[in-house]
Amino acid sequence: MNTLHFVLNQMVRKFERRAHLSEQDKQALLDLPHQTRWIEAGRYLGREGDSPVGASLILSGLAIRHKVTIDGVRQILSVHIPGDFVDLESSLLKLADHNVQALTRCELAIIPRDAIIQLVDEHPRVGRAMWIDTLIDGSVFREWIVNVGRRSARSAMAHLLCEFARRLEAAGLAEEYAYELPMSQEQLADALGITPVHVNRTLRELDREGLINREKRLIQIPDWENLRRIGGFNELYLHLDQAGLTPAEAA
Amino acid sequence: MNTLHFVLNQMVRKFERRAHLSEQDKQALLDLPHQTRWIEAGRYLGREGDSPVGASLILSGLAIRHKVTIDGVRQILSVHIPGDFVDLESSLLKLADHNVQALTRCELAIIPRDAIIQLVDEHPRVGRAMWIDTLIDGSVFREWIVNVGRRSARSAMAHLLCEFARRLEAAGLAEEYAYELPMSQEQLADALGITPVHVNRTLRELDREGLINREKRLIQIPDWENLRRIGGFNELYLHLDQAGLTPAEAA
DNA sequence: CGGACAGTTGATCCCGTTCAAGAAACGTGG
DNA sequence: CCACGTTTCTTGAACGGGATCAACTGTCCG
């Protein structure tokens, strides 16, 4: 089984736990017209102000959403992992309000806008499952606001590392306490709303205190409970019961 | 015509511009079972961790969403005005991930969770219009991330004031350049992720420079173009073509 | 071997915080 | 209508987390 079918089937199982899908619903999902494509790191999948063309399901690799302020400072809004839809909103909103960019080399299944609209019209339950995707996205954005708005750099960094750990694990892509974080310190800075220099100091501090171990961009968390406490991380907002896979599915 | 019918009809017209609604769709929206209720300022409509009971349509007054960090600091996530649905997510997610609180005395139409689910099942087009509501919510959250993450206090404040101006005007509730902002400086601080003391200084500075005029909590904007520039405000993210009323409707 | 980029470190600066206290506005009851 | 407690707003002084600037190190890769 190739990556595409693997991810599509994971998606169907994920959606099934959100809304009761009929056999036709499931088949319609699997039959979605799409084009699979590899995208190089750094390439844009969509730009602010563009008329969007369609949604992309990430098959492998990571993508980010970001905005750039009037004076050229970037803020990363979210990081997306395989199994995530990015730009589902672009099928229903007229203009993209942010940029979507490949963080690493990515394999995508690109689904035309019209196909999504037709699917949700004819299969309301599938529409509901996708709507829930959007709702969970919103929840993650809300937590991100708290992270950049009210947490110290140290706490925000701990929170971010905890979030990645749990999301990657829930997607069946990593063990909870060890994963690769394919972001430069500059990109982490843009995610946390601080400077790269301060990211460096914050990471070293967490490392020195034994809260994380770093080996290049591999992160290993030897003291989850304390990292969780420092970040004030409570995974409720990830809605993993509806966003992730069951442990059996992830295995 | 009372407030309820006025707001419901506005909502139907708003939704009509998002998805082509049949007469039955529109009637089903108007027939939604609900209970109208007055809520005192400060009362909670829902708390983090609660099992949600249903969505609320704001008929009058303002409501906010917020979260509180582990060390007791509050971050306001959004401010909602009449015509907004709050907690639409609560109908589809199992646990509330944030608090919803009345900012002023509020009149609400509370719609039970089951009624919403049934409505969107039987009327997919209505579901799509509501989904778009969620998507726009998400867009506003994203801009909020930029505001607390990457803008100076001065710029963030200017941006917030611009956002309120445009949203209130689009809802037909204020002229663009003058409106009441019924928030204490402490609440503004929690929205911007800064301290109340600094809110005070920031507001006075904008005032002194002639970018805003304040009379108690009335804000008047004599120099829109400059305030917009300082805030880096670009209303694209509000998706007003789908979120607001046409000028004729707002009148 | 060399050039580019990511990571590291030190010195100095500043935006926003903290603490404190006074002034104004507001609601409430007599 | 005034007295008075409470909340909100305002202002000053000192402090600190993170920014800024700059230089150096390591690493990858053609």
Side-chain angles (χ1 to χ4, degrees), chain A residues 138-185:
Chain A
S139 176
V140 177
F141 288 134
R142 287 190 288 271
E143 188 65 37
W144 207 280
I145 293 173
V146 176
N147 217 34
V148 296
R150 284 303 197 190
R151 285 198 257 263
S152 67
R154 169 188 167 81
S155 177
M157 178 67 81
H159 192 279
L160 190 72
L161 295 176
C162 287
E163 176 177 321
F164 285 143
R166 288 296 291 127
R167 283 176 59 202
L168 287 168
E169 198 219 357
L173 292 168
E175 294 159 49
E176 186 166 350
Y177 304 131
Y179 59 93
E180 198 203 341
L181 181 64
M183 297 176 76
S184 69
Q185 294 183 357

Side-chain angles (χ1 to χ4, degrees), chain B residues 3-135:
Chain B
T3 313
L4 172 64
H5 288 130
F6 181 72
V7 175
L8 278 178
N9 279 304
Q10 273 199 346
M11 179 184 72
V12 169
R13 280 179 294 160
K14 190 167 73 176
F15 281 10
E16 271 186 294
R17 281 186 295 119
R18 297 184 183 166
H20 300 290
L21 302 184
S22 68
E23 283 308 314
Q24 292 95 309
D25 289 337
K26 287 189 254 180
Q27 198 53 50
L29 259 172
L30 292 169
D31 290 345
L32 267 177
H34 61 267
Q35 183 192 358
T36 73
R37 185 141 41 117
W38 281 97
I39 300 277
E40 292 307 310
R43 291 288 297 277
Y44 279 78
L45 318 192
R47 281 176 188 275
E48 185 172 352
D50 278 1
S51 288
V53 289
S56 301
L57 177 65
I58 302 182
L59 303 177
S60 69
L62 272 72
I64 58 171
R65 312 200 210 197
H66 69 87
K67 285 191 156 187
V68 177
T69 67
I70 195 84
D71 34 45
V73 191
R74 182 171 75 159
Q75 174 69 51
I76 292 179
L77 307 164
S78 61
V79 178
H80 293 281
I81 66 177
D84 285 359
F85 268 108
V86 286
D87 245 5
L88 208 47
E89 51 265 86
S90 69
S91 301
L92 296 169
L93 296 177
K94 290 172 187 160
L95 290 177
D97 53 71
H98 61 280
N99 306 293
V100 183
Q101 190 177 18
L103 185 62
T104 65
R105 193 156 177 270
C106 274
E107 192 178 6
L108 305 174
I110 299 172
I111 303 161
R113 175 189 169 119
D114 294 343
I116 301 230
I117 290 180
Q118 194 186 336
L119 173 69
V120 302
D121 260 7
E122 294 170 3
H123 301 271
R125 298 292 173 110
V126 175
R128 206 161 95 200
M130 287 187 170
W131 183 5
I132 290 176
D133 237 62
T134 310
L135 290 167

